[in-house]
Every structure is written in structure tokens, then in C-alpha cells.
Amino acid sequence: MKKLLIVSTFLVSSLFAGGDRFHDYVKVKYSEPIYEYVYEQVPQTQCSEVRKKVRAYDNDSYVRNDNLGIDTLVGVAAGAVLGSQVGKGNGRVAAQIVGGLLGGKVAHEIRNNYNSNQSYRYINTTECFDTYENVERKVITGYKNHFVYKGIKHYKITKRPKDRIKITHSISF
């Protein structure tokens, strides 16, 4: 019987364990936004007019000649002669071959790149590129809700402005 009385007393007291706390609601006087500055990069395209010098390709002013001419043959011969001055034995033959090929290539390119009727003209083009500008934005991160409770000013920070705030009281003996 004693055990039953102790257990029942324990159960009844546990039911009233939270009885020393109660809730009350207080009206909010005003809510003040809390700001934070956020920096972000915003892409911007910038374009400008650029004047460029280009070769004018008229039908009469530029003709590419891929034929083997006398100048190319003279370049091959000159390269072979210069190549024969280098090396001994089989190295001399290889130097003659390489010298002849290089001499022919140089003479051929000089003929195709040299043109007395070359003319140039200027064109205006628009060139665009992306840049990034740092932009500062003011962002609301929360609200400071001001209220008065028992003659003392308080505030509570929340994500949204509130009309009333829940207050929890506890009584101690």
C-alpha cells in the first residue's frame, strides 16, 4: 500500500510539473527592419568601335601564284650550294637537300608576299567583351519587434514583422 501511495504521488506531481510556467501575449508597438549589405557581381557587356587596317583584296591587286618560277629554282640552287659547304660525306648530301628545300621555300614565299600593288583600307568593327561590376544591395535579414512588458521596453528579432509576441513566464518559490 505504501508503494502504491508513493507511485500515485509521483504521477500526480509529474502532471503538475509544468504548472509553474504560463504564456502571455504582448502587443508589438512597432517593427524595425534589420538590413545587411550584400555584394554581388553583375555581368555587363561593353562594346566599342575599333578601326582596323586590312589588306584590300581586289582582283587586280592580289594574285597568289603557286607555280614554280625561276626565282624558286634559283632559291633551290642557292640553298643547295650553301648546304654543300656544311658537313662531310653523307652529312654534306643531307645538308644540300635541306638547304635546297629551304632556299626554294624562302624564294617562293618572297614571290607570293611581294606585290607592288598592295593597298590597305580601314574598316570599323564593333568589339564586345564582358566585364563584371560589384553591386551593393541592401537586403532585409529580419525584424526587430519592439514591445513594452511590465513597464520595461524589450525587443525580439524575428524573420517577419509580428503583431504580438508570445511571452513565457515561470514562477519560482
Side-chain angles (χ1 to χ4, degrees), residues 41-146:
Q41 290 188 340
V42 177
Q44 293 181 340
T45 302
Q46 291 184 347
C47 298
S48 61
E49 290 289 323
V50 178
R51 187 172 182 177
K52 292 185 177 182
K53 181 179 178 181
V54 294
R55 182 183 278 173
Y57 291 108
D58 297 333
N59 290 337
D60 299 331
S61 67
Y62 181 77
V63 177
R64 179 150 177 100
N65 187 357
D66 286 331
N67 295 331
L68 289 176
I70 293 183
D71 53 351
T72 305
L73 294 175
V74 170
V76 169
V81 169
L82 290 174
S84 68
Q85 303 299 318
V86 178
K88 294 181 181 178
N90 289 337
R92 181 173 286 179
V93 174
Q96 285 177 335
I97 293 171
V98 171
L101 291 174
L102 287 176
K105 176 69 174 165
V106 168
H108 185 70
E109 289 299 319
I110 288 173
R111 177 174 35 126
N112 282 328
N113 289 333
Y114 177 74
N115 191 348
S116 62
N117 294 331
Q118 284 182 355
S119 62
Y120 293 92
R121 63 186 175 102
Y122 291 93
I123 59 169
N124 290 330
T125 61
T126 303
E127 290 184 354
C128 297
F129 55 93
D130 289 335
T131 60
Y132 293 92
E133 180 181 356
N134 286 331
V135 176
E136 178 183 75
R137 285 191 316 132
K138 196 176 186 182
V139 178
I140 296 176
T141 58
Y143 290 89
K144 203 183 252 190
N145 298 291
H146 295 272

